[in-house]
Amino acid sequence: MTNDAIPNLTAFDEAALDRAFASLAQQARDAAAALGTSEAIESFRLEWLGRRQGRLNEISSSWLKAAPPEAKKLLGQRFNALKKLVEDLLDQAAGGGPSDAALAAEAVDITLPGTRRLTGAEHPITRTLNEIVSVFAALGYSVGVGPEVETDYYNFESMNFPPGHPARDTQDTLVVANQERRLQRDRLLLRTHTSPVQMRTMESQPPPVRIVIPGKVHRNDAADATHSPIFHQVEGLCVDTKITFSDLKGTLDHAMKALFGSAVKTRFFPSFFPFTEPSADVQISCIFCGGKGCRKCKQSGWIELLGCGMVDPAVFAFAAGKQPAYDPKKISGFAFGMGVERIAMMKYGISEIGQFFAGDMRFLEQFV
Ligand code: DAH
């Protein structure tokens, strides 16, 4: 704070100026790094920037005045830089920012490998399910859901599986315990298919209806490469006046081409479901061999993919109990149901259905 803080400058060449200013800058930095209290900061300010006796003032009065004219510019530039440095140091200290020591303790070693955050992705079943739904949404279908714990009435009886009907045996499931006192139709079970949501939909709205219903279903099936006691289906229902089997064929042919590529062909084989009449199994030309015959299609050139048919009048009769407009003499409709796992397995070349539910990251990461 006195003249002795500012040495006499005897040489004014660039190197001498650089040395003199570098030494001052270092002193300022060292002093600033040690600043803790606001009093210390204020005395640092006075020491360097004080009007009367501040060091910068000293420099300008003693060095600048003594400098030969040709050195004044060089000296002035360095003076300004030092002043700026002191002001910045003050700003930092006054800002209450962490000290250099604190910063060093927190410093991140940017040469270490970082922590990679995993990118989430849709599960392949969710992705396939959404893809199927969006094919039908583009045709104007709405999307619905229904309960997974369902009554015997919706899952079976209203879908035209009367009590004791042998078709029930093909869809064995888990039932909720201790319901013996309830009527059979009210007993709860884990739904075996998404078809009961057809009935729930019709009961809640008059025709016309175009809806797809994705969801989880349950069966008492032994697990093997292609069977799982839990799986997913997408159900479809279309009801209006004058809906025909041609509408069903055209709709599903389009959907299969949208899902598997425009080269895919479809064919409809007679089948049986209690809730459709006539019923059909839809086969698509083998997407692996193009129909020539291979191991995947058991040399037939065709792969069976879903069930469908014209809604049975008996099903409409159940719906008409709540919505009289479902008069089988006045309206008609088609329905279909497809297994999401089966379609996903074909699309992604997966041979074990259990992979979908095992939670193995090595499997799931392939779908990121
Ligand atoms: N619910 C049948 C099943 O799970 C699939 C099905 C077949 C649904 C034909 C339908 C249909 O709507 O018309 O096996």
Side-chain angles (χ1 to χ4, degrees):
M1 218 180 292
T2 52
N3 279 336
D4 58 63
I6 301 301
N8 269 334
L9 204 56
T10 47
F12 290 90
D13 57 289
E14 249 186 294
L17 290 175
D18 280 342
R19 245 180 285 122
F21 276 96
S23 152
L24 286 167
Q26 193 52 48
Q27 289 172 33
R29 279 196 213 94
D30 290 347
L35 294 177
T37 63
S38 55
E39 294 84 54
I41 294 172
E42 177 57 12
S43 79
F44 174 83
R45 195 186 65 76
L46 280 174
E47 180 185 344
W48 287 89
L49 301 178
R51 286 264 176 102
R52 297 254 170 82
Q53 293 179 313
R55 286 191 184 198
L56 285 157
N57 194 42
E58 298 288 337
I59 291 169
S60 95
S61 54
S62 63
W63 292 4
L64 210 52
K65 271 184 204 142
E70 68 276 11
K72 284 201 197 297
K73 187 175 173 203
L74 296 173
L75 206 154
Q77 286 167 348
R78 284 159 180 75
F79 176 87
N80 286 336
L82 178 63
K83 188 171 178 203
K84 168 116 184 19
L85 171 71
V86 170
E87 285 167 352
D88 287 349
L89 289 168
L90 263 173
D91 276 352
Q92 274 173 30
S99 67
D100 283 359
L103 282 175
E106 275 181 26
V108 175
D109 183 348
I110 60 165
T111 63
L112 288 173
T115 316
R116 174 115 61 89
R117 210 187 272 194
L118 288 180
T119 312
E122 273 178 337
H123 189 280
I125 291 302
T126 311
R127 192 197 289 190
T128 306
L129 192 147
N130 287 340
E131 222 176 293
I132 298 168
V133 165
S134 59
V135 166
F136 289 95
L139 294 175
Y141 281 64
S142 56
V143 184
V145 288
E148 275 173 50
V149 179
E150 189 52 284
T151 62
D152 185 281
Y153 177 76
Y154 283 112
N155 194 79
F156 289 126
E157 195 174 340
S158 72
M159 286 290 107
N160 206 26
F161 297 73
H165 193 282
R168 286 182 173 228
D169 295 347
T170 64
Q171 300 196 7
D172 190 17
T173 184
L174 289 171
V175 299
V176 175
N178 303 322
Q179 301 185 92
E180 292 73 16
R181 285 176 28 232
R182 289 188 163 173
L183 295 174
Q184 174 159 9
R185 49 170 286 153
D186 296 331
R187 291 183 195 165
L188 297 171
L189 44 79
L190 299 189
R191 70 177 177 193
T192 59
H193 52 176
T194 43
S195 302
V197 193
Q198 288 187 29
M199 187 55 59
R200 290 183 174 277
T201 304
M202 289 191 279
E203 285 184 354
S204 69
Q205 64 179 96
V209 168
R210 281 170 187 73
I211 192 168
V212 277
I213 303 137
K216 193 181 288 169
V217 302
H218 305 255
R219 300 253 174 116
N220 181 16
D221 280 347
D224 63 22
T226 57
H227 292 84
S228 158
I230 296 180
F231 59 103
H232 298 78
Q233 293 184 329
V234 176
E235 188 82 17
L237 176 68
C238 168
V239 184
D240 206 337
T241 53
K242 303 194 179 115
I243 296 290
T244 68
F245 201 90
S246 311
D247 297 314
L248 170 59
K249 285 187 79 172
T251 302
L252 290 182
D253 186 69
H254 165 81
M256 292 304 112
K257 286 179 163 64
L259 288 172
F260 292 103
S262 54
V264 154
K265 295 196 198 65
T266 52
R267 67 179 189 182
F268 291 68
F269 256 56
S271 183
F272 173 79
F273 299 101
F275 38 89
T276 44
E277 182 60 35
S279 304
D281 283 329
V282 182
Q283 301 178 351
I284 64 168
S285 53
C286 179
I287 59 166
F288 302 105
C289 64
K292 285 200 272 305
C294 67
R295 224 161 44 92
K296 299 262 191 190
C297 60
K298 300 197 183 90
Q299 309 304 331
S300 73
W302 295 91
I303 292 181
E304 196 173 300
L305 212 55
L306 71 150
C308 66
M310 300 307 290
V311 177
D312 195 296
V315 171
F316 282 141
F318 279 110
K322 287 243 169 84
Q323 292 278 357
Y326 288 96
D327 178 348
K329 289 192 202 69
K330 297 196 178 124
I331 46 109
S332 57
F334 64 74
F336 55 86
M338 56 188 98
V340 179
E341 279 75 3
R342 187 160 161 71
I343 292 175
M345 286 167 84
M346 289 193 45
K347 282 181 83 83
Y348 298 115
I350 296 162
S351 50
E352 286 277 338
I353 197 172
Q355 294 277 18
F356 290 126
F357 309 112
D360 185 335
M361 289 300 283
R362 293 167 301 179
F363 172 76
L364 296 170
E365 274 167 0
Q366 298 176 77
F367 300 92
V368 169

